[in-house]
Amino acid sequence: MGRNLQSSERLRPVDLARGHGLSTQAVRNYEEVGILPAAGRTAHGYRTYTPLHAQALRAFLALVPGHGHQTATAIMRAVNEGATEEAFRLIDESHAQLRDDRRTLQAVESALRDLEATTASQPAAVSGPGGTFIGPLAVKLGIRPATLRKWERAGLVRPRRDPLTGYRVYDEADVRDAQLAHQLRRGGYLLEQISPLIAQVRAAGGLEPLEAALCDWRGRLSARGRAMLTGAAELEAYLRKHG
């Protein structure tokens, strides 16, 4: 490809790299893995690229923020191999993942609102200075003690043990985690889905600091959605030239 092009249509690796903050080696690597179509060669064996390669590079770089490097690579490789339907399938999967991530965020926000409302409506705390035992906590949540033990095995709650009796003792943070887990379980979430969310609450240091994290999460999801739109526009431009 490109051997009979006029010199004005030929592009060197440095021409593609310039303006994108890339090295010429990166451009060659992109060609080798199928992100770019195969380059033409001069009589002396030097690579020559065309405006089609430049559009392929723009499409790939636009796809990365929304889909990630690995999926963007697979999309471009599929297009360049003529497997357009496979490229569309990969794009659909990314959109489905974004949808699921949005639903997870909404579930966490809903659970936090419910938890705050529940806490505000209750006149007394379930745990005293020394914490609470499994029975009273189970009653408060309307679940069985066996459920709390199951949540403990899954890492959702981490009660300490009373040194004299060996009984589980839930402190204020444990009660908070149990309440949040309960709200998410009512929302249909599995234990393995809840565990990383509980970990985020612990890392944030409670529910109030988590609000900032949720705001950031929401912003990143919106940015991903917009990036997918930008990537789609650049990919469509490449498909028109490539097709």
Side-chain angles (χ1 to χ4, degrees):
M1 182 179 192
R3 290 178 181 170
N4 298 321
L5 293 173
Q6 298 295 323
S7 60
S8 61
E9 296 177 290
R10 291 178 178 174
L11 299 170
R12 301 165 299 169
V14 67
D15 296 323
L16 266 67
R18 188 179 291 131
H20 294 293
L22 300 173
S23 67
T24 55
Q25 184 59 51
V27 172
R28 289 191 287 268
N29 291 342
Y30 288 164
E31 180 194 345
E32 289 174 2
V33 299
I35 293 170
L36 305 181
R41 296 280 180 166
T42 67
H44 295 90
Y46 293 109
R47 286 179 172 85
T48 60
Y49 297 105
T50 68
L52 179 67
H53 293 89
Q55 182 58 54
L57 181 59
R58 285 195 295 272
F60 170 71
L61 294 176
L63 288 167
V64 169
H67 298 271
H69 194 280
Q70 182 175 350
T71 299
T73 297
I75 291 169
M76 293 303 298
R77 186 184 297 123
V79 169
N80 291 328
E81 292 174 353
T84 309
E85 290 302 316
E86 171 62 13
F88 292 159
R89 184 191 67 78
L90 292 166
I91 292 170
D92 288 345
E93 286 187 352
S94 282
H95 281 279
Q97 183 61 59
L98 178 60
R99 177 202 61 201
D100 290 345
D101 289 347
R102 287 189 186 281
R103 287 177 176 174
T104 299
L105 173 60
Q106 290 167 357
V108 173
E109 291 176 327
S110 177
L112 289 177
R113 286 194 299 269
D114 291 345
L115 181 56
E116 289 169 352
T118 300
T119 302
S121 66
Q122 291 168 347
V126 68
S127 57
T132 188
F133 295 119
I134 192 169
L137 180 57
V139 170
K140 176 184 176 65
L141 297 177
I143 60 177
R144 296 179 302 161
T147 299
L148 281 169
R149 289 192 287 268
K150 183 178 180 180
W151 291 356
E152 181 182 351
R153 291 193 295 272
L156 305 188
V157 290
R158 300 183 297 189
R160 59 185 172 84
R161 294 282 184 154
D162 184 280
L164 297 178
T165 65
Y167 293 158
R168 292 172 174 84
V169 181
Y170 298 81
D171 63 19
E172 185 176 345
D174 294 319
V175 172
R176 174 204 67 204
D177 294 345
Q179 290 173 318
L180 183 55
H182 184 47
Q183 294 292 347
L184 290 169
R185 285 295 289 138
R186 289 175 60 185
Y189 279 80
L190 303 176
L191 297 185
E192 57 265 30
Q193 295 172 308
I194 297 172
S195 181
L197 302 178
I198 297 293
Q200 287 183 5
V201 174
R202 291 174 183 148
L207 297 177
E208 290 185 7
L210 186 63
E211 292 291 344
L214 291 176
C215 183
D216 177 67
W217 187 2
R218 193 181 310 112
R220 285 186 284 112
L221 291 180
S222 295
R224 239 169 81 198
R226 295 194 66 171
M228 285 182 176
L229 292 176
T230 301
E234 292 290 350
L235 183 62
E236 169 61 19
Y238 177 57
L239 286 171
R240 287 199 304 270
K241 289 185 177 182
H242 185 269

